[in-house]
Amino acid sequence: MKDRIFTICDNLSRTGVSPTAEKVRAELGGGSFSTISPIIKQWRDSLSKAEPAPEIPAAAQTAVNQATALIWKIATEHQAEAINAVRQECARIEHEAIAERDEALKEISFLEERLKTSEEQIKSLLAKDTARANEANALELQIHKQQLALDSTVNQNIELKSEIKDLRKLAATAQNEASKLEGMLEVFTKTKTSASAKKTTKNTTQP
């Protein structure tokens, strides 16, 4: 890992690019900054030990200082613009987020009202279903009672029919007995009448 990072740092330095942990990590294709950064520092230390930096002339140092100041000024202004742009973007995102939040809260409130209405409708329907179930149970009980009464009436009718049949048999028997008695009475009456007539005739013929 150390040799690869040193090689990458050498290649970046030869192309005029200052090695950073992010650039080295990109070349490596992965790795943690906590591992890469110390190795880059070792590479820089090895360069300072191997090649001592020559002294910079005063004019060059002055030019470097002026250039550094100009670059710093430009960087600061650019940074201020970038910060302002970031702030504006953050404000825009925050505004959109607040608007989305408010819209979501409105939607939640609307859905809660619909849920409340649905729950009330469900309660009402359940109450109606309970009332209908109670009515159905009452009707079923009433039908059961009526069925029992009907069964009792049917049984009574069967018993009455049986009694009527028995009474008709008794009536027929009594009618037969009455007919026999009537015949016997008629015979008895005729016999008695005949006997009386004979007695009267006998009495009439005697001197």
Side-chain angles (χ1 to χ4, degrees), residues 139 141-152:
L139 288 174
L141 180 60
Q142 185 176 358
I143 290 171
H144 181 67
K145 290 180 178 179
Q146 290 178 352
Q147 184 65 44
L148 292 176
L150 178 61
D151 293 341
S152 177

Side-chain angles (χ1 to χ4, degrees), residues 75-91:
T76 303
E77 291 176 353
H78 178 73
Q79 184 179 13
E81 292 176 357
I83 291 173
N84 187 37
V86 170
R87 286 177 178 173
Q88 291 179 356
E89 182 65 14
C90 289

Side-chain angles (χ1 to χ4, degrees), residues 36-164:
I36 296 172
S37 296
I39 298 176
I40 294 176
K41 185 176 184 304
Q42 292 178 13
W43 176 79
R44 293 185 188 281
D45 292 341
S46 67
L47 288 181
S48 61
K49 291 178 181 178
E51 299 178 1
E55 293 184 1
I56 300 176
Q61 183 66 44
T62 300
V64 169
N65 292 337
Q66 290 176 352
T68 301
L70 179 61
I71 291 172
W72 179 255
K73 180 180 179 182
I74 293 172
T76 303
E77 291 176 353
H78 178 73
Q79 184 179 13
E81 292 176 357
I83 291 173
N84 187 37
V86 170
R87 286 177 178 173
Q88 291 179 356
E89 182 65 14
C90 289
R92 183 187 66 79
I93 294 173
E94 182 181 6
H95 179 72
E96 291 179 355
I98 291 173
E100 290 178 358
R101 181 203 64 189
D102 293 341
E103 187 67 23
L105 290 174
K106 290 180 181 179
E107 184 68 16
I108 290 171
S109 178
F110 174 72
L111 292 175
E112 287 177 345
E113 287 296 326
R114 287 188 60 185
L115 178 61
K116 183 178 179 181
T117 302
S118 298
E119 288 177 346
E120 290 176 353
Q121 290 177 350
I122 290 171
K123 288 180 180 178
S124 177
L125 291 174
L126 287 174
K128 290 180 179 179
D129 288 342
T130 302
R132 289 174 181 173
N134 292 334
E135 291 178 0
N137 291 333
L139 288 174
E140 185 176 358
L141 180 60
Q142 185 176 358
I143 290 171
H144 181 67
K145 290 180 178 179
Q146 290 178 352
Q147 184 65 44
L148 292 176
L150 178 61
D151 293 341
S152 177
T153 303
V154 169
N155 292 331
Q156 289 177 1
N157 287 338
I158 293 172
E159 292 177 358
L160 289 173
K161 286 179 180 180
S162 178
E163 290 179 1
I164 290 170

Side-chain angles (χ1 to χ4, degrees), residues 1-8 24 28 30-32 35-36 39:
M1 175 67 74
K2 180 178 178 180
D3 293 338
R4 289 184 62 194
I5 292 175
F6 270 43
T7 301
I8 291 171
V24 172
L28 283 173
S32 64
T35 301
I36 296 172
I39 298 176

